[in-house]
Amino acid sequence: MPLQRIAIFKTWPGRALLAALLVLPALAGCGTDTPTPTPVPAPPPATATPIAAPATPTPPPATSTAVLPTATPIPSTATVALPSPTVAASATPVGSPAITAATAARVTQLRQLKAPTESLVQSVAVAPDGKTLAAATVAGEIFLWPLPIRDEAPRKLTSDAFRATSLAFSPDSATLAVGLGHLGNDIQLWHLPDGQLTRTLKGHTESVNRVAFAPDGQTLASASGDGTVRLWDVATGQTLRTLQAGSWGVAFAPNGKTLATAGTDARTVQIWAVPEGKLLRILGGHAGMVLNMAYGPDGRLLASVGDDGMVWLWPGSDGYLLQGHTKPVNAVAFAPGGDLLASASDDMTIHLWSVPDGKPLHTLTGHTYGVTSLAFAPDGQTLVSASDAGDVRLWGVR
């Protein structure tokens, strides 16, 4: 399928080639400030356009391993209809905008970091206790900075992995899950207090592109290029369930009972009941591959992004579209308060949106390559971003 995502530098071998072209000598001291490059001009103003989603596709059946009962496909009579072209869906207000025209000027870059090897940074994550920032590189390196950032070298987790694609902290901040890509296809679980690799989860046959912990920390979900999402028992490392789903997105709702994944056709979002492995509904609207998704902190909203440059907000089965990015959107994150949404794109920008009304609030510029990952600090005052240039940036957003 000729999707935008399949370009030479969006394939993993292509990323590895790009990494080789970008490699520079290691920095003499890491964790130190580096000059901020000349900001990239902002794209045309972003807009929030209520839009109706297309008809719900027929959902695929879910499959199960022998550990749990077979997942039950959604019956045709339970299919959730999406709005007709004459109906405009809107989100339920959550609170007042986090940033207004008067306060937008205070949204600034606080810090710029570099991975010591200057490898492409695939993923960033902030521990729930707010004490650690983690970054994963295309070279398979995991770097840990203490928060707040000090002028000291980051700690490195020793790994023989070729490529680290995704990161997720456990709710207690003690375990870091690392998804591995080409030549790996596994998931590593690291015990951070002593820096030891405690378990490797095996089962996927292609790159592990996304990982996410359930709110109770007992289950881990992983999305893979093999077309499955696996649910793992963290304590035993056993696969609990295998779902037929898309290759990229996976996110638990805050109650832990619902899981969002990309659809098997890559252009939809699937909503699953976790205990039963039952497909509840399919959300259609993206015109390209769905790349990432995130639930709001109260579970009432789901955001999804894709290589079509779209950002969708889903209050339920109806969604509405936030427009502004000009290239594929790789990452999306809600601020802990739920009133602010951030999206990051290959157009080298980060857009900040007001969740109550979907209005664009601010555009962050400065990255010189596509922005690959986003994470909010637990206090909601700092946003972390990473890019294909190997830089990690911290932004003050309050």
Side-chain angles (χ1 to χ4, degrees):
M1 181 177 293
L3 297 175
Q4 285 181 310
R5 191 70 182 176
I6 309 177
I8 181 59
F9 290 127
K10 301 307 291 182
T11 62
W12 293 122
R15 282 186 181 272
L17 174 59
L18 179 58
L21 295 174
L22 290 173
V23 170
L24 296 173
L27 297 180
C30 45
T32 57
D33 293 345
T34 59
T36 303
T38 303
V40 178
T47 60
T49 306
I51 188 168
T56 303
T58 302
T63 62
S64 171
T65 66
V67 178
L68 292 178
T70 302
T72 304
I74 181 172
S76 58
T77 56
T79 301
V80 179
L82 295 173
S84 68
T86 59
V87 177
S90 60
T92 303
V94 177
S96 59
I99 302 170
T100 65
T103 61
R106 298 204 298 267
V107 180
T108 58
Q109 180 176 305
L110 302 176
R111 190 93 175 193
Q112 181 178 346
L113 307 172
K114 278 279 191 179
T117 56
E118 299 196 24
S119 296
L120 282 68
V121 178
Q122 296 289 286
S123 182
V124 290
V126 178
D129 63 9
K131 296 180 180 180
T132 306
L133 165 64
T137 77
V138 72
E141 305 149 326
I142 308 299
F143 295 104
L144 304 173
W145 283 271
L147 294 176
I149 296 293
R150 297 184 289 271
D151 293 331
E152 61 185 62
R155 175 184 169 199
K156 180 181 177 181
L157 298 180
T158 302
S159 173
D160 58 359
F162 173 69
R163 180 167 59 85
T165 60
S166 52
L167 298 172
F169 280 97
S170 61
D172 64 2
S173 302
T175 301
L176 182 68
V178 181
L180 302 181
H182 182 60
L183 303 180
N185 308 332
D186 301 328
I187 302 154
Q188 296 178 335
L189 299 181
W190 293 86
H191 185 245
L192 296 183
D194 57 15
Q196 295 299 307
L197 177 62
T198 58
R199 194 179 298 278
T200 299
L201 309 181
K202 295 181 176 292
H204 285 298
T205 58
E206 298 290 343
S207 173
V208 177
N209 299 319
R210 299 284 184 264
V211 290
F213 275 97
D216 63 7
Q218 298 179 19
T219 304
L220 180 76
S222 58
S224 168
D226 62 15
T228 67
V229 167
R230 286 180 177 246
L231 299 180
W232 306 84
D233 184 315
V234 174
T236 66
Q238 297 299 308
T239 300
L240 298 175
R241 192 180 297 280
T242 301
L243 307 173
Q244 299 302 313
S247 301
W248 289 92
V250 63
F252 279 98
N255 63 10
K257 297 179 180 180
T258 304
L259 181 74
T261 71
T264 52
D265 64 353
R267 300 186 180 208
T268 57
V269 176
Q270 296 180 159
I271 308 298
W272 302 83
V274 174
E276 305 86 4
K278 180 181 179 180
L279 182 59
L280 299 176
R281 59 184 179 274
I282 295 178
L283 309 177
H286 283 282
M289 184 182 296
V290 175
L291 298 179
N292 223 323
M293 58 197 63
Y295 273 99
D298 62 3
R300 289 191 293 164
L301 285 176
L302 175 70
S304 62
V305 297
D307 69 357
D308 52 9
M310 295 182 179
V311 180
W312 279 84
L313 273 179
W314 305 95
S317 299
D318 301 344
Y320 69 98
L321 177 63
L322 308 183
Q323 296 178 300
H325 286 295
T326 59
K327 290 186 178 180
V329 185
N330 301 312
V332 64
F334 282 91
D339 57 350
L340 179 65
L341 182 74
S343 57
S345 170
D346 278 351
D347 64 14
M348 300 182 287
T349 69
I350 301 165
H351 285 183
L352 302 179
W353 310 86
S354 167
V355 172
D357 52 21
K359 291 182 179 179
L361 297 173
H362 202 71
T363 299
L364 306 180
T365 60
H367 282 291
T368 56
Y369 281 80
V371 187
T372 56
S373 185
L374 289 173
F376 275 97
D379 63 6
Q381 298 184 19
T382 303
L383 176 68
V384 181
S385 61
S387 85
D388 278 337
D391 57 333
V392 176
R393 298 178 185 235
L394 282 72
W395 310 83
V397 294
R398 298 289 185 182

